[in-house]
């Protein structure tokens, strides 16, 4: 099945996929945020100044802290600093707010806080890595170019300056050039975990897996309590189809309860054709996504609805296109389990989030095609046409449209397409003899979708 990739994350700098590259012929996509390679702080620990976190001079999270503040209390403390104490123009508070928004994958809010921080203090080192990574994730190339140029001019011996330059070339997909600048950043500050992770992402984008893993391991050694390096290692193992190692790395990163990590575990189980467990992991990812923007009580209610299989409600909780790959992959898991109504719910929500994505239209058409009845067959034909209108070279949609038209002719007019072909080998809808045609077996669309050969192209191991 040929489905187009999401953004770049992820194969890297797509993530929070993040890690690795997408395969062009696949129905499952990798992490939504692969472009987000800055290590998020752990909000359950107190902040201390360390160069190995998002910003060299920014207060980040200590792995040895004994504090256990829940996220709600931290949010309340930030709100109190911002509103009660009127510190909304403090660089420290703005940096905290930007990093927190970035951790919650709220990229627009993170960008707004970073812009205000630059206005208050143009050359502040606080949240600098988050600023560059946010611009990269949002694909703001011009702003990123200006920021990198300004930083290099002001502090050419700073790791953050060359990190920003590397981000710019990464956004331009000049990955080999990006590698050179990320390497320079690691030499200027060997303790900068953000630069090491970005360095690994640039290697992964060039399909240099060994060097990418070495960079991620370096980041893990510098920050053993951070889950981000393990997450990237797991994503790279998934991309290279080392599924056992991927599962070990992702489970080690799981205590962070990051929805991207849950997403990648779903991708790993899909690659192993363990669709039931893949569905479970993708559902958990959706619950965590909803919790990012709701209260703890609402998050618990969402988890309860998932247990009762109330898919319509919890799918509606995903409101940002950043997480559309999670729903897209969940829909394909339902399709593989022949749960076509739930698959359609997921795909239709994906279409709301990304209305111009031909791969979603193709998935909807294919799912309706598999349902078999005449009404859904007509809907499949219409959706295949819509997908081809947006991407005319979609080979899978073209093939399945021909099959659907044959089935519609056979059903409505009682035509025997096989005998017609034997008499006229120049039929415009002829199919190569090596391809199984719908008329060969009953429910041929289902047979086609569950064929072992189909599964080989059905996994995109870049979120991210």
């Amino acid at each position: 099945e040929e489905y187009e990739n999401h953004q770049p994350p992820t194969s890297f700098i797509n993530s929070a996929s993040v890690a690795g590259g997408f395969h062009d012929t696949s129905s499952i996509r990798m992490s939504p945020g692969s472009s987000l390679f800055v290590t998020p702080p752990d909000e359950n620990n107190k902040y201390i100044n360390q160069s190995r976190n998002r910003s060299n001079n920014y207060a980040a999270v200590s792995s040895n802290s004994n504090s256990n503040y829940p996220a709600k209390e931290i949010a309340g403390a930030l709100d109190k600093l911002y509103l009660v104490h009127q510190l909304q123009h403090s660089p420290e508070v703005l940096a905290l707010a930007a990093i927190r928004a970035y951790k919650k994958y709220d990229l627009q809010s993170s960008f707004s806080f970073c812009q205000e921080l630059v206005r208050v203090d143009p050359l502040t080192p606080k949240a600098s890595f988050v600023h560059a990574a946010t611009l990269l994730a949002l694909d703001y190339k011009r702003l990123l170019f200006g920021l990198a140029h300004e930083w290099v001019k002001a502090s050419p011996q700073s790791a953050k300056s060359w990190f920003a330059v590397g981000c710019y070339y990464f956004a331009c997909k000049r990955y080999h050039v990006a590698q050179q600048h990320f390497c320079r950043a690691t030499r200027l500050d060997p303790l900068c975990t953000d630069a090491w992770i970005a360095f690994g992402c640039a290697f992964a984008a060039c399909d240099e897996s060994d060097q990418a893993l070495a960079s991620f391991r370096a980041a893990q050694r510098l920050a053993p309590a951070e889950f981000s390096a393990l997450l990237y290692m797991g994503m790279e193992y998934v991309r290279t189809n080392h599924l056992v190692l991927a599962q070990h790395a992702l489970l080690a990163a799981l205590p962070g309860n990051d929805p991207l990590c849950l997403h990648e575990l779903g991708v790993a189980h899909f690659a192993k054709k363990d669709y039931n467990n893949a569905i479970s992991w993708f559902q958990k990812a959706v619950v965590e996504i909803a919790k990012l923007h709701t209260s703890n009580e609402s998050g618990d209610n969402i988890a309860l609805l998932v247990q009762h299989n109330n898919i319509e409600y919890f799918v509606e909780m995903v409101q940002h296109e950043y997480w559309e790959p999670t729903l897209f992959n969940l829909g394909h898991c339902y399709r593989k389990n022949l749960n076509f109504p739930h698959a359609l719910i997921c795909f239709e929500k994906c279409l709301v989030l990304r209305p111009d994505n031909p791969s979603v239209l193709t998935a909807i058409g294919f799912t309706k095609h598999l349902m078999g009845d005449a009404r859904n067959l007509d809907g499949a034909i219409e959706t295949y046409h819509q997908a081809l209108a947006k991407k005319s070279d979609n080979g899978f949609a073209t093939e399945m449209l021909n099959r659907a038209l044959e089935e519609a002719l056979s059903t409505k007019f009682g035509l025997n397409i096989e005998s017609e072909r034997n008499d006229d080998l120049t039929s415009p809808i002829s199919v190569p003899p090596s391809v199984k045609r719908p008329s060969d077996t009953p429910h041929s669309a289902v047979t086609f979708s569950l064929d072992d050969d189909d599964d080989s192209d059905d996994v995109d191991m870049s979120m991210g």
Side-chain angles (χ1 to χ4, degrees), residues 245-265:
L245 293 173
Q247 192 166 350
H248 282 303
L250 292 171
L251 288 174
L254 191 58
N257 253 358
D258 189 279
L260 180 57
C261 184
L262 297 168
H263 173 103
E264 295 305 322
L265 280 166

Side-chain angles (χ1 to χ4, degrees), residues 329-346:
N329 296 342
L330 177 60
H332 278 292
C333 291
Y334 281 129
R335 176 180 65 79
K336 285 292 188 178
N337 272 356
L338 305 185
N339 191 341
F340 302 129
H342 283 185
L344 280 178
I345 290 172
C346 294

